[in-house]
Amino acid sequence: MTTAKIKVGDKLPSGSLSEYIEIETGACSIGPNTFQVAELAKGKTIAIFGLPGAYTPTCSAQHVPGYVKFSDKLKAAGVDEIWCISVNDAFVMGAWGRDQKATGVVRMMADGNADYSRALGLDADFSKHGMGVRSQRYSMVVVDGVVKHLNIEQAGKFDVSNAETMLAQLAK
C-alpha cells in the first residue's frame, strides 16, 4: 500500500472519472460519460468511498450495500451525493451498480487506469494477486472540493471506511 498524498484540509486533485449513464439527459448521453471531479464537487457535500474492485467479496457484500442501506441517513446528515470510486471501466461499474441496486443512489465512478487513485495517493499494487494497480479501501467526506474527513483502511481490513463510520463523523 502507498501512503496517501491527500489529507484532511486538502482540495481534491484535478482529474476525471467516468460513469455509465442509464438514462439520457440534455447533458449526458447513455453509456460512459467522463466528468471533471472539480466541477462535480463544486458547491456539494460528497461522501466518497474507494475500494479495490467491482464484484470482489468485501466490496460487494459489505462496502457498497452499506452505503446503499444508509444513503437516506447520509443525505439527512447533509450529503448531496455518494460516490463509489473503483479501478474498473465504466461498463463494469454500471453493471455492478445495477447488481448492487445502487443506481440512482450511489454514483458508481470508474477510475479505469487508476489515474485518480494515484493522484489521491490511494492506489495499491495488487499485482501479486493478478489484479494490477487498484484503489486502497477508504472513505472521505468532501465539502466544496475540500476533504473534511478521511478514513483509510489497513490492508485487508474493513473497519473505518464503512457508511456507519461516516455517519458518526457527520453527526459530530
Side-chain angles (χ1 to χ4, degrees):
M1 299 283 179
T2 58
T3 303
K5 293 178 191 170
I6 194 86
K7 60 188 179 308
V8 171
D10 287 352
K11 277 192 86 61
L12 289 175
S14 61
S16 62
L17 295 167
S18 298
E19 180 180 22
Y20 189 88
I21 301 298
E22 302 278 339
I23 300 170
E24 187 170 7
T25 66
C28 299
S29 60
I30 293 175
N33 284 252
T34 301
F35 301 97
Q36 293 302 311
V37 172
E39 286 300 310
L40 287 182
K42 194 179 296 180
K44 296 178 188 165
T45 297
I46 305 171
I48 299 174
F49 64 104
L51 41 80
Y55 297 102
T56 55
T58 302
C59 304
S60 292
Q62 296 178 352
H63 217 165
V64 174
Y67 280 90
V68 170
K69 177 180 177 180
F70 291 108
S71 62
D72 288 340
K73 289 185 179 182
L74 287 164
K75 293 197 175 183
V79 169
D80 297 304
E81 294 183 359
I82 304 167
W83 298 359
C84 172
I85 299 176
S86 186
V87 182
N88 294 105
D89 64 62
F91 293 102
V92 169
M93 292 298 284
W96 190 37
R98 287 187 300 277
D99 182 64
Q100 292 285 306
K101 309 224 179 335
T103 304
V105 179
V106 175
R107 295 185 74 173
M108 304 300 279
M109 307 300 274
D111 182 19
N113 294 321
D115 293 336
Y116 203 73
S117 295
R118 279 189 198 95
L120 291 169
L122 293 170
D123 56 310
D125 187 353
F126 284 72
S127 296
K128 68 180 179 182
H129 304 293
M131 296 168 61
V133 175
R134 296 292 181 118
S135 171
Q136 291 183 47
R137 189 178 303 281
Y138 66 90
S139 68
M140 65 174 84
V141 175
V142 175
V143 178
D144 197 24
V146 177
V147 177
K148 298 298 181 184
H149 299 283
L150 177 62
N151 310 297
I152 304 169
E153 297 286 357
Q154 296 298 313
K157 300 289 184 184
F158 181 60
D159 298 322
V160 298
S161 64
N162 54 48
E164 296 89 338
T165 298
M166 186 174 286
L167 278 169
Q169 290 172 328
L170 289 167
K172 292 180 181 178

